[in-house]
């Protein structure tokens, strides 16, 4: 086909060479802070506050736990300065060994602090297991009732908070009056028990007071977990013919595990450091002496030995919390993953 006269030839546009591979695009230059840097910017003040409030006391207590307490030498009656004690303060508690002011192992007198330590450990663990179990069970029942829709539900929820809102010192005095020899408990039961003096009655009295006070806390945490469970799940189970027990076992409990874990973890850590309730209610009775009470008593006699006991208490609480998170927490995560895969 011939071109018309006078027409100019237009060159075709340059096309990219497709035979060559495209080069990697250059990364864009960031003008602001990265996400990691921003996160550290917000977290750093909190970490500094924790280092001052928690880190320094722990490190200071650790250093003091390896030093001897200054005092009178029972052999000479002379005042001796403290020095390096090594692990003597720890063996003094754990191995039920007694040492003199020079760090020498001596025979322990009757009622030595080593035996008091293991007695306090047993009492603390006994209080923790019994109170947390009762509070979780009763709190679950209270949460199930408060989660229902009925007239006066708001008033019931407000009334449940009253025991938890009362200061612990007031609660201890209140229950102490009730458990006195001529108190209301003995009159109602028709008994003559020394509830704040005898070994096992005093322990059960402390458990009753602690369960009464802290069960509302457990109930509120469990209620928060119940309220996030969709009602559609229960309606579908009813349509399929599931009974109330089957809905509770296969729907409520699996979906409630994360909230229940948090409640049990908080209460367990709180129960392991119980101090004010038994100290006020039973006047620091040896039968109800917890590990925290033993630490406070020992501070008045020797701060370095008390520091070693504080470190042991810290490790005990940390180990229990770690086991709860590792065992129960892993089960809760696996349950949630299985439920997501099922849906």
């Amino acid at each position: 086909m011939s071109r018309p006269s006078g027409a100019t030839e237009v060159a075709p546009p340059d096309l990219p060479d497709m035979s060559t591979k495209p080069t990697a695009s250059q990364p864009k230059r960031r003008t602001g802070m990265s996400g990691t840097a921003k996160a550290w910017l917000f977290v750093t003040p909190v970490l500094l506050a924790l280092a001052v409030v928690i880190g320094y006391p722990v490190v200071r207590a650790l250093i003091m736990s390896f030093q001897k307490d200054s005092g009178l030498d029972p052999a000479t009656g002379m005042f001796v300065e403290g020095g390096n004690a090594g692990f003597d303060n720890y063996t003094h508690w754990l191995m039920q060994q007694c040492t003199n002011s020079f760090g020498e192992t001596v025979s322990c007198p009757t009622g030595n602090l080593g035996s008091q330590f293991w007695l306090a450990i047993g009492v603390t663990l006994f209080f923790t297991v019994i109170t947390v179990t009762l509070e979780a069970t009763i709190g679950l029942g209270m949460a199930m009732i408060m989660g229902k829709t009925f007239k006066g539900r708001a008033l019931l929820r407000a009334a449940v908070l009253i025991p938890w809102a009362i200061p612990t010192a007031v609660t201890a005095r209140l229950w102490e009056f009730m458990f006195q020899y001529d108190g209301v408990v003995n009159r109602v039961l028709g008994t003559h028990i020394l509830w704040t003096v005898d070994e096992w009655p005093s322990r059960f009295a402390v458990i009753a007071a602690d369960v009464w006070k802290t069960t509302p806390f457990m109930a509120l945490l469990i209620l928060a977990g119940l309220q996030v469970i969709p009602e559609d799940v229960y309606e579908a189970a009813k349509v399929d013919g599931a009974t109330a027990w089957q809905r509770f076992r296969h729907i409520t409990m699996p979906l409630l595990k994360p909230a229940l874990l948090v409640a049990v973890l908080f209460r367990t850590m709180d129960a392991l450091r119980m101090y004010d309730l038994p100290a006020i209610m039973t006047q620091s009775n040896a039968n109800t002496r917890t590990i925290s009470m033993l630490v406070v008593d020992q501070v008045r006699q020797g701060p370095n030995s008390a520091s070693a006991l504080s470190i042991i208490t810290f490790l005990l609480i940390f180990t229990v919390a770690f086991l709860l998170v590792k065992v129960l927490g892993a089960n809760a995560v696996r349950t949630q993953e299985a439920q997501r895969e099922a849906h």
Side-chain angles (χ1 to χ4, degrees):
M1 184 175 181
S2 61
R3 293 190 181 92
S5 59
T8 59
E9 183 177 358
V10 179
D14 294 335
L15 299 176
D17 188 5
M18 303 302 295
S19 61
T20 59
K21 296 182 179 180
T23 59
S25 59
Q26 297 294 331
K28 296 181 180 180
R29 184 176 299 176
R30 297 180 179 179
T31 57
M33 298 176 61
S34 63
T36 304
K38 290 180 180 179
W40 279 107
L41 180 63
F42 287 103
V43 171
T44 299
V46 179
L47 295 179
L48 292 177
L50 291 177
V52 174
V53 177
I54 299 178
Y56 173 76
V58 172
V59 174
R60 179 60 179 168
L62 183 62
I63 295 175
M64 293 177 61
S65 66
F66 293 102
Q67 299 177 357
K68 298 178 183 178
D69 289 317
S70 302
L72 296 177
D73 182 14
T76 62
M78 299 179 62
F79 182 83
V80 292
E81 295 288 343
N84 184 23
F87 290 94
D88 290 343
N89 289 330
Y90 290 94
T91 57
H92 174 77
W93 295 107
L94 299 176
M95 302 300 181
Q96 299 189 22
Q97 294 179 353
C98 296
T99 57
N100 57 20
S101 301
F102 297 100
E104 301 173 348
T105 302
V106 296
S107 59
C108 294
T110 305
N112 66 86
L113 295 178
S115 60
Q116 293 181 23
F117 168 76
W118 289 109
L119 177 61
I121 287 290
V123 170
T124 303
L125 294 179
F126 176 74
F127 283 162
T128 302
V129 173
I130 300 300
T131 56
V132 173
T133 302
L134 292 176
E135 290 163 9
T137 304
I138 301 174
L140 178 60
M142 294 172 61
M144 296 288 292
I145 295 174
M146 291 187 295
K148 303 294 182 180
T149 303
F150 57 90
K151 187 177 181 180
R153 183 178 64 173
L155 180 61
L156 176 62
R157 292 182 177 181
V160 166
L161 288 175
I162 293 177
W164 185 49
I166 297 177
T168 306
V170 178
T171 300
R173 284 299 184 186
L174 173 64
W175 284 87
E176 180 188 359
F177 294 150
M178 295 175 60
F179 279 112
Q180 286 181 351
Y181 183 77
D182 56 348
V184 64
V185 176
N186 276 336
R187 292 188 177 184
V188 171
L189 299 179
T191 57
H192 302 281
I193 302 175
L194 298 175
W195 290 98
T196 59
V197 178
D198 293 343
E199 180 178 0
W200 287 105
S202 60
R203 294 174 182 175
F204 289 129
V206 172
I207 290 174
D210 188 70
V211 170
W212 178 82
K213 176 174 175 54
T214 54
T215 298
F217 174 75
M218 297 281 284
L220 289 177
L221 292 180
I222 297 174
L223 178 62
L226 286 175
Q227 290 181 338
V228 299
I229 302 178
E231 288 293 335
D232 298 341
V233 180
Y234 291 105
E235 295 296 335
K238 291 180 181 179
V239 172
D240 292 338
T243 62
W245 169 249
Q246 290 174 338
R247 294 195 300 268
F248 174 79
R249 179 182 177 184
H250 298 288
I251 297 177
T252 302
M253 289 305 299
L255 297 179
L256 194 61
K257 276 187 177 180
L260 191 59
L261 168 64
V262 173
V264 170
L265 178 61
F266 283 178
R267 272 302 303 145
T268 300
M269 297 178 64
D270 191 28
L272 287 173
R273 54 186 179 85
M274 183 188 302
Y275 171 78
D276 43 2
L277 185 64
I280 299 174
M281 187 174 172
T282 63
Q283 304 298 322
S284 298
N285 187 352
N287 297 319
T288 58
R289 182 177 297 167
T290 62
I291 189 68
S292 297
M293 296 170 62
L294 189 60
V295 171
V296 175
D297 293 340
Q298 184 61 25
V299 168
R300 303 186 181 100
Q301 303 178 16
N304 295 332
S305 179
S307 298
L309 184 56
S310 299
I311 296 298
I312 297 174
T313 305
F314 170 78
L315 294 177
L316 173 65
I317 297 176
F318 176 81
T319 302
V320 173
F322 176 79
L323 292 177
L324 286 176
V325 174
K326 190 67 176 178
V327 177
L328 299 181
N331 290 337
V333 171
R334 285 196 295 267
T335 301
Q336 290 182 333
E337 291 178 351
Q339 291 171 354
R340 285 196 295 265
E341 292 177 357
H343 290 290

